[in-house]
Amino acid sequence: MTNTDWTSIRDRFLEAQKGMEQEVVDSPASLEQFRIKYLGTKGILKDLSGYLKEIPVENRKEAGKLLNQIKQKTESLFQQYQQTYSSAGKASKAEIDLSAPGYPLPLGSRHPVSLVMNQVIDIFKRIGFTIAEDREIEDDWHNFTALNTPDDHPARDMQDTFYIKDSIQYLLRTHTSPVQARVMTREKPPIRIIAPGRVYRNETVSARSHCQFHQVEGLYIDEGVSFADMKQTLLYYAREQYGPEVKIRLRPSFFPFTEPSAEMDVYYGLADETAHRITKGTGWLEILGCGMVDPAVLVNCGIDPDKYSGFAFGMGIERQVLLKYNVPDIRMLFENDVRFLRQFSAI
Ligand code: DAH
């Protein structure tokens, strides 16, 4: 093989291109002929490709390039003709119904935890509570000390709390109560806030509890706030959330930062096995802790306990999701299985 060979082959390439460009295509039949002649499996382009291996190595690059150009031209011409002459193309154009409704885009749904959280926020907003959000990595003072939690309280144990590596100062907040301390040190009464957010505890994961969950904290400080105000506020909440017939009960309890303290249960019932398991056989589900803010906490945060009093509460969200939507196991809320999540509404 010599260069002369390449020159003559190149002539053949160019001739084929010229011929292709001059083809008359003016009907579906001639379009099909064009396709077979140039683009078919035994067509001219295939033929030309066959020459490539005969061309001397030094010319092969140039030849490949030329061949590619011809191919592209043929294909684009074919597509142009196709738009005008293809019977299939014409038919499908005519069938486009511009008035047909579009396909709906798949819409995600809200996570049930967000749903309940937003409901809680809405309910308290209506009676004048504003939202205070704060950090999830807290310091020991706001999470424990300011809230009157003694040094030897079990909650401070590594067994119960996730500390940040190599530090006993910083931890993943174990409740939303530190937001109380942050707001009280920053603002003057009257204070009326709710603080929604994620909290963490070093707990064994089971159907009823998880190592991460959500709480909404509430705090109301003003002159002359009483336990009765608290009870009425919580009853209002329960009725708004679970309907006017809801049954609640306040049980005496203990929290270092409130005095007196209580826990509130909502009646879940004992209709089935799940109800027995979730309520430990009592029919009641505890949804929040509450109490009158301990004067020592007010002092820690720079508020005069002789002038002001107030109540606080902290509610778990996951428990209420179980209650409201009849979910049998808290772990389902963290698995992100779309078959589960899809069942909840988008708003
Ligand atoms: N922080 C408590 C907990 O996580 C809940 C709680 C109880 C919050 C009483 C409060 C309160 O504000 O007054 O278990």
Side-chain angles (χ1 to χ4, degrees):
M1 289 275 168
T2 67
N3 275 341
T4 333
D5 290 325
W6 158 231
T7 319
S8 67
I9 289 173
R10 184 172 54 198
D11 287 345
R12 236 180 269 178
F13 277 19
L14 294 173
E15 222 171 276
Q17 179 179 358
K18 209 163 159 193
M20 179 271 295
E21 284 168 347
Q22 287 171 354
E23 286 290 344
V24 178
V25 174
D26 57 4
S27 64
S30 51
L31 174 73
E32 181 59 4
Q33 273 167 16
F34 180 93
R35 188 189 66 78
I36 294 169
K37 185 168 170 188
Y38 290 94
L39 300 166
T41 42
K42 291 182 182 150
I44 289 178
L45 285 175
K46 192 83 183 183
D47 254 9
L48 298 182
S49 314
Y51 284 114
L52 276 183
K53 54 181 182 300
E54 293 175 21
I55 295 170
V57 182
E58 65 268 32
N59 301 120
R60 226 172 258 171
K61 203 169 163 196
E62 193 188 343
K65 214 169 152 189
L66 181 62
L67 189 62
N68 254 337
Q69 277 172 16
I70 299 175
K71 262 191 191 158
Q72 279 170 11
K73 273 201 176 149
T74 315
E75 274 161 10
S76 85
L77 254 184
F78 178 70
Q79 276 171 14
Q80 279 176 33
Y81 292 145
Q82 206 178 21
Q83 282 182 5
T84 325
Y85 300 111
S86 152
S87 46
K90 274 202 166 162
S92 68
K93 253 192 194 166
E95 275 164 18
I96 294 175
D97 177 1
L98 295 176
S99 66
Y103 296 106
L105 287 174
L107 194 61
S109 51
R110 278 209 194 278
H111 194 284
V113 167
S114 302
L115 284 176
V116 172
M117 196 103 123
N118 290 342
Q119 289 155 7
V120 175
I121 291 170
D122 274 355
I123 292 171
F124 282 101
K125 262 187 174 174
R126 268 182 253 144
I127 53 168
F129 283 76
T130 54
I131 295 175
E133 278 181 310
D134 224 296
R135 65 214 70 188
E136 290 177 18
I137 298 177
E138 253 307 353
D139 55 44
D140 176 90
W141 192 81
H142 289 91
N143 197 81
F144 293 128
T145 311
L147 299 172
N148 216 21
T149 309
D151 278 346
D152 58 356
H153 194 282
R156 292 192 147 183
D157 200 316
M158 305 262 271
Q159 304 302 318
D160 290 307
T161 300
F162 291 115
Y163 284 86
I164 301 297
K165 206 169 174 220
D166 301 331
S167 160
I168 49 159
Q169 260 311 305
Y170 293 98
L171 45 90
L172 296 182
R173 66 179 178 190
T174 59
H175 49 181
T176 41
S177 303
V179 186
Q180 285 188 34
R182 292 210 170 259
V183 173
M184 283 193 284
T185 44
R186 193 166 64 209
E187 289 170 26
K188 291 207 161 351
I191 291 171
R192 192 155 39 176
I193 56 110
I194 49 170
R198 200 186 294 249
V199 302
Y200 305 85
R201 281 187 206 169
N202 197 353
E203 275 188 32
T204 315
V205 175
S206 73
R208 299 178 81 244
S209 50
H210 210 281
C211 56
Q212 55 163 336
F213 52 101
H214 297 77
Q215 288 186 333
V216 175
E217 191 79 10
L219 176 69
Y220 181 29
I221 309 277
D222 204 347
E223 290 179 39
V225 178
S226 70
F227 196 91
D229 294 327
M230 179 181 84
K231 193 173 170 194
Q232 198 56 35
T233 307
L234 295 177
L235 181 62
Y236 156 81
Y237 167 73
R239 286 190 173 147
E240 291 294 305
Q241 183 67 285
Y242 300 104
E245 304 302 321
V246 69
K247 277 197 273 183
I248 63 161
R249 70 178 186 191
L250 280 177
R251 278 180 294 106
S253 182
F254 173 79
F255 298 101
F257 35 92
T258 43
E259 182 58 39
S261 306
E263 278 172 307
M264 188 171 100
D265 301 339
V266 172
Y267 193 65
Y268 184 91
L270 283 170
D272 52 25
E273 202 189 314
T274 301
H276 275 269
R277 186 156 45 87
I278 291 181
T279 68
K280 288 186 178 161
T282 64
W284 293 91
L285 197 64
E286 179 221 317
I287 62 161
L288 60 83
C290 58
M292 300 307 291
V293 179
D294 194 304
V297 174
L298 294 178
V299 170
N300 287 344
C301 299
I303 291 179
D304 178 0
D306 293 329
K307 187 162 181 207
Y308 296 106
S309 60
F311 65 78
F313 58 86
M315 58 172 75
I317 296 299
E318 278 76 3
R319 289 272 174 85
Q320 299 191 70
V321 174
L322 305 192
L323 183 70
K324 251 199 118 152
Y325 298 112
N326 232 333
V327 177
D329 192 317
I330 208 167
R331 287 167 290 199
M332 296 172 96
L333 302 176
F334 295 97
E335 281 166 356
N336 280 339
D337 185 332
V338 286
R339 291 168 303 178
F340 170 71
L341 296 175
R342 232 189 255 136
Q343 300 174 59
F344 298 90
S345 83
I347 39 159

